[in-house]
Amino acid sequence: MINYRHLYYFWVVGKEGGFSRAADRLGVAVQTVSAQVRALEESLGCQLLKPAGRGVALTDAGNAAFARAEEIFQLGQRLPQEVLQAASRPVVRLAVGLSDGISKLAAHALLKPVLATPHLHLVCHEGEFDPLLAELTLHHIDLVLAGQAAPVNPNLRVTSEPLVSSPVDWFGPSAWVNKKHVLAFPACLATIPVLLPTGHSELRASLDRWFADIRVQPNVVGEFEDSALMAVFAAQGLGVFPVSRFGALHTGLLKGLRRLGGDDRVREEVFAIKNRRGEQHPLVARILAHAT
């Protein structure tokens, strides 16, 4: 590692053109400056300065070292101001846990009211339900959005609040959404390609019960953990897919897709789970206010 004190003394000598003037600027003895520069030359293995009249000049190696030193110390001069600005900036941090079974389109719609907050630092954690609750109880995150309420457990010290109960609609590209299929919905789901959320999702359980009730065996060609990714594959022609009406109203991912149909008996539920700190967080309060 380069000793930056040695480099700094060399840089000042290069700027001043001599050891005496550098010593005056630094407020130290000439011998101290000379020793620092000599130590730098020894560490680099080459001569950086050469005599020139009453002062010194840079060698070729010295010119290369001086150019880099110039960059380094100009950056160093800006450092205090930049650090002060960063320390005084009113950053608003919001940490949200997204249960891996929740529709990401719905999650984005719920968070949208706070996304324009000045100096927002949004941190989203996606994971399984129980680990997210543990993070919430430890105050590592401020809010969890999930497809289910938190279990009744006084040790958790969290509260649950229903945010969304939205009917689910089906969308797809024009290749699969036409007049014939719209009229035949939902029976057409047995013949046209269908994309579904994976089994860990609460919505998938509701859809499976619905399929059983209407006695339709869906033609499943793909399963996705992420609803936004499912929308992307649908837009590329892979099939039709379900999405909560709430999420569909707040996303541009459905551009170019058509509505096939829907059944209000299938709904996506989203719960807000918060701890005491989350209850005091102004952005959490805004999210809850806009959702109700």
Side-chain angles (χ1 to χ4, degrees):
M1 290 290 293
I2 292 176
N3 186 309
Y4 285 93
R5 178 178 290 275
H6 298 166
L7 183 64
Y8 181 70
Y9 276 50
F10 158 74
W11 177 63
V12 174
V13 171
K15 290 184 80 68
E16 297 295 333
F19 285 100
S20 295
R21 289 191 293 272
D24 290 341
R25 175 174 167 178
L26 293 168
V28 297
V30 172
Q31 294 84 349
T32 301
V33 178
S34 177
Q36 298 284 327
V37 173
R38 187 164 56 251
L40 178 65
E41 290 177 326
E42 290 175 357
S43 67
L44 294 176
C46 56
Q47 184 179 355
L48 302 178
L49 299 170
K50 60 184 178 183
R54 294 184 177 181
V56 293
L58 298 167
T59 64
D60 289 343
N63 275 309
F66 183 82
R68 291 303 183 193
E70 184 85 356
E71 295 176 15
I72 290 169
F73 293 116
Q74 283 181 356
L75 288 173
Q77 288 172 351
R78 297 204 303 265
L79 181 64
Q81 181 181 0
E82 291 177 358
V83 169
L84 182 61
Q85 289 175 346
S88 59
R89 186 184 305 158
V91 174
V92 182
R93 186 180 184 276
L94 176 65
V96 181
L98 304 177
S99 176
D100 56 8
I102 191 179
S103 162
K104 301 309 178 292
L105 298 180
H108 176 267
L110 287 166
L111 295 176
K112 191 174 181 179
V114 304
L115 297 184
T117 302
H119 310 300
L120 173 66
H121 183 180
L122 176 65
V123 181
C124 288
H125 300 270
E126 183 179 3
E128 296 181 0
F129 184 68
D130 290 339
L132 286 178
L133 286 188
E135 292 293 300
L136 184 66
T137 58
L138 294 172
H139 299 279
H140 294 164
I141 52 182
D142 305 302
L143 177 70
V144 169
L145 299 178
Q148 57 183 303
V152 178
N153 184 341
N155 294 324
L156 289 177
R157 296 181 181 178
V158 299
T159 58
S160 300
E161 180 177 330
L163 289 186
V164 174
S165 178
S166 173
V168 170
D169 290 329
W170 291 79
F171 284 81
S174 57
W176 304 115
V177 181
N178 51 44
K179 185 176 180 180
K180 173 186 174 182
H181 292 147
V182 170
L183 292 174
F185 180 86
C188 64
L189 297 176
T191 55
I192 63 176
V194 170
L195 312 180
L196 291 177
T198 53
H200 72 291
S201 167
E202 293 293 321
L203 177 57
R204 176 59 182 273
S206 298
L207 288 167
D208 287 343
R209 289 191 296 269
W210 178 65
F211 283 127
D213 290 341
I214 63 175
R215 299 182 181 180
V216 169
Q217 182 65 42
N219 178 29
V220 181
V221 299
E223 299 181 64
F224 298 82
E225 289 189 357
D226 191 325
S227 58
L229 184 61
M230 187 161 52
V232 171
F233 274 81
Q236 297 302 311
L238 188 59
V240 300
F241 73 107
V243 59
S244 73
R245 199 168 297 166
F246 176 79
L249 290 173
H250 295 81
T251 180
L253 289 175
L254 301 184
K255 291 180 179 178
L257 297 174
R258 300 180 178 180
R259 183 178 181 273
L260 175 64
D263 189 328
D264 286 1
R265 290 177 294 175
V266 184
R267 308 183 75 85
E268 180 172 34
E269 310 285 342
V270 180
F271 291 83
I273 307 173
K274 54 189 183 299
N275 54 27
R276 288 185 178 179
R277 187 177 72 176
E279 291 175 350
Q280 306 299 321
H281 200 299
L283 296 189
V284 171
R286 193 184 307 172
I287 291 168
L288 301 185
H290 277 78
T292 55

